[in-house]
Structure formats: C-alpha cells, structure tokens
Amino acid sequence: MSFSVGEVVAVRGTNVTLRVFDESNLETLFFDGKKYKGVSIRQYIGVKRGFSLIVCVIEGEYLDENRFENDDNRRRYIRKVEVKPIGFFEQSQFYDGVKLMPMIKDKAYLLNESQVIQVFSQGAEDDFSIGKMLNEDIVINLPWQKIFNSHIGIFGNTGSGKSNTLTRLYSELFSRYKSNMTNKSMFLLVDFNGEYTGSQLISDEGEKKSYRLSTKNMQGDKFPLPSSELWNTEILALLFQATANTQTPFLNRVITKREKYENKPDSLLDYVISTFYSCFVNSAQNKEFLIHLKVIASHLNYPALSEKLDKIFWYSKDEKFACKPRQGSHWEWFDSSQGFTDNLRPILDGVDVSQIDEFDELVVRINVQLLRDLMHGYVQFEHIQPLLKRVEASIRDLKKIFEIKEAADADFKLLNIVSLKGCNQAAKKIVPLLLAKMFYQKHRDSINNPPDKTLHFIIDEAHNILSQQSSREHEIWKDYRLEMFEEIVKEGRKFGMYLTLASQRPADISPTIMSQVHNFFIHRLVNDKDLFLIDSTISTLDKMSKSLIPNLSKGSCVITGTAFDLPLVIQVDYIKEVESRPYSDDVDLEALWGLKDAPDCGAVTH
C-alpha cells in the first residue's frame, strides 16, 4: 500500500468527492522506492474499504468555497477532487465494475505503476504492445486475442496517425505469430492509395504478396480470379450492374448455356457457327445483326473473319446481306445454306477459340445469346443494349486487373495487398466488393464448425467503398454493395471472417456497419457528424474520453470496445524505419526546396 493522499468527504450515488492533501499535487512522487503519478485529471486513485481497494478515475477538481484561517492567520482553501469508481482490487487481483462504494473518511491512496498496468492490461498475458499510456507513460499490453477475433475500426482525421496505428498493430501481430498462422489464417488488405506495397507489415517476401493493379495500361499486376467466380450469374450481375428483371436473367441464360455444353469439344465454335448461320440463312434477315457479328469476330481474334465481315453490307433492294464482288467475280449471297457454306463457312472453320481468353469468351457468348434471343423474340434489344455497353467498357478494365485461373489458392500468401492506386473510380468501387464477396463466400462454405481457419479483410480508407453518400452510382447497385459488407460484418464473425476498417470519415460509413464494429482505435476527430456518430455508436466510451477526441495530438488515440474493460488513451509508438511505415508521410517542404538537408526519417505518418 502507498501513502495516503486524501480522504472521502462525500458520496452521492457513484459520484465520490475526496479531500486531497497539498503534497499530492506534485506531478511525480516517490515512496518506498516506487514511482507514483500525482493527483490530476484522468489519473487513477485507490480508496481503501476494508480489505479491498476501490479504483477510481479522477474526473474533476475544485477548491472548496468554505475557506478557513489557520494559526498564522493565512487563508487557505481545501482542495477537492471528484472521482468515479471503475473497479476494485481483492487479494491483489483487479476486477472491473462497481462492487463496493467508498464511505466518508475512507483513506485515498495513489496507485503505483504495477497496479496501473494490472488495471489496464485487461487480462492480456502476452507482451503485446503498440505504445504507452498517454499520461502515465506506462507500456500497456493489449489483449490481442480479443482484438483480432473481432471487427476493428481505426478512425481519425488526416495527419492524426491512423495509418501508423494500423501498421503498428498488424506489424506487431505478424512479428510475433506469423509462423503460427500458416494455413490457418489469411489477411487481405485493400489499399486505395498504395501505402503498403513495400516492406510494411511483413518484410519477408515469402509471406507477403502485393498486387499493384492498374486500369491505365496492361503493365500492372493482375489479381488471380478463379474461373468459377467469373462464370457466376451473381458475380457478372455485380460486375456489369445488371438490372434484376431483364438483364440478370439474360446473363443467367449465358451461363446456363455454357455449363450445358462445357465438356463438349469445340462447343463454343459450333455455337458461333450456328449463330452466324441463323443470322444469314434466314428468310427475314435483320441488318442490325451484322453489328453484333462484327463484335463477336473482333473478340475471336481472327483477322480473316473480321476482314470478311467488313466487306459484307446490307443490300436494300432485296433486303438481305451481300458481299461486294471483286473485279470479274460474282456477287456473294448468304441467304441460302449453299451460299453460306461456299462463302463464309470456310473462314469460320479456321477460327481457333482455344486462343481467346475467358473475358473475350464472355463477350462472344453474350453477343451470341443476344442474337439468338432476338431471333426467337425472348428479349427486346433496348432492354439489353445498356448492359452491352457496360460489358464492353468494363471488359477493357477487367482484362488489365484480373487474370483468370482454374484455381487461385496457390497464388495467395499469408498477407495479400491489393493496391488500387492506379485504378479508375469504377474499378475502386467494384474490386473491393468483388474480393469481399468472393473470399467471404468461399471461406463461409469451406470452414468447419467451429471455424478452423480465419480470414481478415482490411480496408484502408474504407469510406471510399462503404459510403452511403455517393450519388454517382445506381441506387440498386449501391444498396447491393452495402448489403454485402453489412452481411459480412453481421454474420462473418461466426464463420471466422473479420473486418478492419480505417477511415478519415466514420460518419460516411453505413451506420449498420459501424454499429457492428467491436473495437475502436480513435484518433483526432473534429467534424461534428463524426463526433456525434462516435458518441451514439460506442457505448463503452466514457464522457471524459469522448471530450479528448477533438484535441488528441498526433499518434494519440482512445482505445475502447468489447476487448477492453476500460477505455485507454495511449500514444502509439511511431515507426522510425522509413521502409517499415506506410507511404503517407507529410512532405518536408524545407528539405524539398533545399532549405535544409533531407532527413533520414520522414514526418509523422498519417
């Protein structure tokens, strides 16, 4: 037990008032070889009650208006502090919650460092730490088992240190336990700004894979996409934003036709040839069909066929297709079986469909299916035309960022970084959703009960994909995107899938998603909407900790959630090694403009 610094003078419910002695006002005290922090706001103090020590947090301080004169006729004021019980020690063991209440005249004592550590280590047995308590300057171990077994939110304005916290948190995890995670866990980080594509988080290339995706050219990395995921109606409807009533059933017919003849050799070529035959050898030919036939030819990558179709035109007089004759030759017609066999079939027989990729095959099958549906009156062209335009526009980008494989599991490492820095806005919207859906459904369908594997999905700058504010996309598609992540955040825990969200604007993120986040690392936030959301969403955050959030310094954060009995305010250790911290340092203008030598380490990480 330390020395007494005061006594209880009032108890009103859970609000307790202490009279403290003058000498306790010092910043640091030493007693019996141990270091103590003096009495001040947000410090912790113990009140002796029987064999228990009630732990209280100091919330306020004032001078009693009832002053008195001592023997030397000098006026003095009584210093009082307001405290609130948060737990208690019994037999040297700390317990959270209020079991006992102080009584008047009970003595108050300072807590030494070992007692403070015991209060805030939250039962953490391993030496897992990312920083020190802000006031006490004491290293606190975090209960990493409870943190990573939950959904995590890391929030703060730009420059407040959230990227440093994200990096510090996962770097500590990997440095300690990566050898134990092999074949048991996988981490997927969606990186909108390319901050983690170096040696951050894990420096061992054998445990980390970075995919630098780019829609600007074909030189970027390609993310492996299993063939089964591409030939999936739900995925295609997602990729091309298909409407539910007409376009999604149309895509389903494309998939069904492919599955029906998938094991038949040359089935695609036979399908293409029969479609060409139906379009040309038809008593009621349609001149619009030629446009789609040319699209098919271009994606078959067979120049001879494209050249032939370029020569074919619509002969208005007879309302059928014809080919301009060469000098001295006869006109070519295609309205009979013999005409088709003589003039076009030999060219079609030379097409090698095995040389085209699956994205080209998809475009071919979509146009073939459209021609057949139009001929049989199954669809109206104006209903499907918007889908065709989205397919053509999307395929160009998808080819640049995805590589279709039969199986992609072997390509993934323990940590997989997907950088979207080089992608356009459309890709930045669709890729995270596609990855979430693909990995979540596969993980959900493959795990046992209870889960024997975990999947950790990390999204930096999460407001880019989880915002309800976007007005540039169709409402139906936006709802689908949010519903997908809401399902993961609500149902993923039971399947061993966990989200980590880092964002500058938590108020932009769906309230449903925010309400399901378990543990929070909150850096400085000054926007009223963000502060209101934090206030209304996080029930474990006390009033005093909330008041600190707008004024936190760089790297400081409030930690609270289901893994913590009490909120913590810590200073996260700054990562000094340039190669180990994310690419988000402030620009040093003095060094940039040659006013001083460039430093070895950059500025504070965002």
Side-chain angles (χ1 to χ4, degrees), residues 327-604:
Q327 188 174 2
S329 64
H330 298 287
W331 282 70
E332 293 180 2
W333 304 97
F334 306 95
D335 57 335
S336 67
S337 177
Q338 187 62 43
F340 178 84
T341 302
D342 292 342
N343 300 317
L344 195 57
R345 181 61 187 260
I347 299 176
L348 288 168
D349 286 338
V351 175
D352 185 1
V353 294
S354 66
Q355 300 301 312
I356 66 173
D357 62 30
E358 295 197 47
F359 286 117
D360 285 321
E361 180 186 347
L362 175 62
V363 178
V364 169
R365 288 187 175 275
I366 286 176
N367 281 274
V368 166
Q369 188 67 47
L370 174 61
L371 290 171
R372 288 180 168 270
D373 284 355
L374 289 173
M375 283 186 284
H376 291 88
Y378 291 159
V379 298
Q380 295 184 23
F381 180 72
E382 57 270 19
H383 292 163
I384 306 300
Q385 184 184 27
L387 175 66
L388 295 182
K389 292 185 179 298
R390 289 196 294 271
V391 169
E392 283 290 333
S394 299
I395 286 294
R396 289 192 293 269
D397 289 339
L398 294 176
K399 279 187 173 184
K400 297 173 184 176
I401 59 180
F402 286 115
E403 178 184 11
I404 306 300
K405 291 190 172 184
E406 286 300 319
D409 291 349
D411 295 301
F412 300 130
K413 306 292 184 181
L414 173 63
L415 173 63
N416 304 277
I417 309 294
V418 182
S419 172
L420 304 179
K421 182 180 179 181
C423 294
N424 57 30
Q425 288 299 320
K428 286 181 178 180
K429 291 285 187 183
I430 196 68
V431 172
L433 177 56
L434 179 58
L435 296 181
K437 181 176 181 60
M438 180 176 74
F439 280 91
Y440 170 64
Q441 291 185 339
K442 181 178 180 181
H443 180 79
R444 181 191 62 189
D445 297 340
S446 64
I447 57 98
N448 298 318
N449 190 17
D452 53 358
K453 295 181 180 180
T454 62
L455 176 62
H456 303 261
F457 198 74
I458 308 165
I459 309 177
D460 192 24
E461 307 297 346
H463 52 272
N464 288 318
I465 181 65
L466 303 180
S467 173
Q468 290 185 312
Q469 309 302 318
S470 176
S471 59
R472 293 178 295 177
E473 56 187 335
H474 197 280
E475 284 295 326
I476 295 177
W477 190 84
K478 183 171 66 175
D479 291 343
Y480 182 90
R481 170 171 54 81
L482 292 175
E483 287 172 3
M484 181 73 251
F485 282 98
E486 288 172 1
E487 179 183 349
I488 292 174
V489 80
K490 288 188 290 187
E491 307 294 339
R493 182 190 56 80
K494 68 183 69 172
F495 302 117
M497 181 172 179
Y498 306 103
L499 283 178
T500 295
L501 309 177
S503 176
Q504 303 173 20
R505 291 300 311 275
D508 284 351
I509 296 176
S510 162
T512 301
I513 294 174
M514 285 293 296
S515 68
Q516 297 297 322
V517 174
H518 302 115
N519 293 292
F520 298 84
F521 294 74
I522 308 170
H523 289 266
R524 184 181 68 250
L525 290 169
V526 297
N527 184 275
D528 289 339
K529 291 183 179 180
D530 295 328
L531 294 172
F532 177 79
L533 177 73
I534 294 297
D535 186 32
S536 60
T537 302
I538 309 176
S539 60
T540 57
L541 195 60
D542 58 54
K543 181 179 179 181
M544 192 163 51
S545 299
K546 291 176 186 176
S547 66
L548 293 174
I549 293 175
N551 303 303
L552 289 171
S553 59
K554 291 182 179 180
S556 300
C557 72
V558 177
I559 307 177
T560 186
T562 58
F564 303 90
D565 297 328
L566 302 169
L568 285 172
V569 183
I570 70 168
Q571 179 70 37
V572 180
D573 293 337
Y574 178 59
I575 303 173
K576 296 181 179 179
E577 300 81 9
V578 177
E579 65 278 1
S580 298
R581 63 177 182 253
Y583 302 136
S584 59
D585 288 351
D586 291 333
V587 176
D588 189 332
L589 293 180
E590 289 184 280
L592 179 66
W593 296 339
L595 301 177
K596 70 173 184 179
D597 294 335
D600 292 333
C601 297
V604 175

Side-chain angles (χ1 to χ4, degrees), residues 279-280 282-291 293 314 319-321 371 374-375:
C279 289
F280 285 113
N282 191 320
S283 57
Q285 296 182 14
N286 189 326
K287 64 179 180 180
E288 302 296 335
F289 287 174
L290 185 60
I291 297 174
L293 294 177
W314 180 252
E319 292 190 344
K320 61 182 180 179
F321 291 109
L371 290 171
L374 289 173
M375 283 186 284

Side-chain angles (χ1 to χ4, degrees), residues 172-427:
E172 187 74 11
L173 179 69
F174 291 132
S175 66
R176 292 179 177 278
Y177 307 115
K178 67 179 180 181
S179 60
N180 303 95
M181 300 176 183
T182 305
N183 299 324
K184 297 178 181 178
S185 294
M186 188 173 75
F187 297 79
L188 182 67
L189 193 158
V190 177
D191 181 8
F192 281 92
N193 298 321
E195 297 179 20
Y196 302 92
T197 54
S199 56
Q200 301 87 354
L201 304 176
I202 295 180
S203 57
D204 183 3
E205 294 185 359
E207 300 287 351
K208 177 181 179 180
K209 174 70 174 178
S210 295
Y211 297 93
R212 300 171 180 84
L213 308 185
S214 176
T215 56
K216 298 176 182 177
N217 51 59
M218 299 294 291
Q219 306 307 314
D221 297 328
K222 289 185 171 66
F223 193 86
L225 185 68
S227 178
S228 59
E229 297 295 338
L230 177 65
W231 298 104
N232 178 293
T233 302
E234 199 170 2
I235 294 293
L236 291 182
L238 170 65
L239 286 174
F240 306 133
Q241 303 179 37
T243 59
N245 294 332
T246 55
Q247 296 173 359
T248 298
F250 171 77
L251 290 174
N252 188 56
R253 291 197 294 275
V254 174
I255 302 298
T256 302
K257 184 67 71 172
R258 181 180 186 272
E259 291 175 348
K260 183 176 181 180
Y261 299 103
E262 187 175 8
N263 297 323
K264 181 181 177 182
D266 298 326
S267 61
L268 177 58
L269 181 58
D270 292 342
Y271 197 35
V272 170
I273 292 176
S274 64
T275 302
F276 269 74
Y277 181 86
S278 298
C279 289
F280 285 113
V281 185
N282 191 320
S283 57
Q285 296 182 14
N286 189 326
K287 64 179 180 180
E288 302 296 335
F289 287 174
L290 185 60
I291 297 174
H292 300 286
L293 294 177
K294 288 182 177 180
V295 173
I296 294 172
S298 66
H299 285 274
L300 288 173
N301 296 327
Y302 191 58
L305 180 59
S306 296
E307 292 173 3
K308 184 66 175 179
L309 293 178
D310 286 339
K311 297 176 182 178
I312 296 176
F313 67 97
W314 180 252
Y315 187 61
S316 302
K317 183 178 180 179
D318 292 339
E319 292 190 344
K320 61 182 180 179
F321 291 109
C323 183
K324 291 182 180 180
R326 296 175 184 174
Q327 188 174 2
S329 64
H330 298 287
W331 282 70
E332 293 180 2
W333 304 97
F334 306 95
D335 57 335
S336 67
S337 177
Q338 187 62 43
F340 178 84
T341 302
D342 292 342
N343 300 317
L344 195 57
R345 181 61 187 260
I347 299 176
L348 288 168
D349 286 338
V351 175
D352 185 1
V353 294
S354 66
Q355 300 301 312
I356 66 173
D357 62 30
E358 295 197 47
F359 286 117
D360 285 321
E361 180 186 347
L362 175 62
V363 178
V364 169
R365 288 187 175 275
I366 286 176
N367 281 274
V368 166
Q369 188 67 47
L370 174 61
L371 290 171
R372 288 180 168 270
D373 284 355
L374 289 173
M375 283 186 284
H376 291 88
Y378 291 159
V379 298
Q380 295 184 23
F381 180 72
E382 57 270 19
H383 292 163
I384 306 300
Q385 184 184 27
L387 175 66
L388 295 182
K389 292 185 179 298
R390 289 196 294 271
V391 169
E392 283 290 333
S394 299
I395 286 294
R396 289 192 293 269
D397 289 339
L398 294 176
K399 279 187 173 184
K400 297 173 184 176
I401 59 180
F402 286 115
E403 178 184 11
I404 306 300
K405 291 190 172 184
E406 286 300 319
D409 291 349
D411 295 301
F412 300 130
K413 306 292 184 181
L414 173 63
L415 173 63
N416 304 277
I417 309 294
V418 182
S419 172
L420 304 179
K421 182 180 179 181
C423 294
N424 57 30
Q425 288 299 320

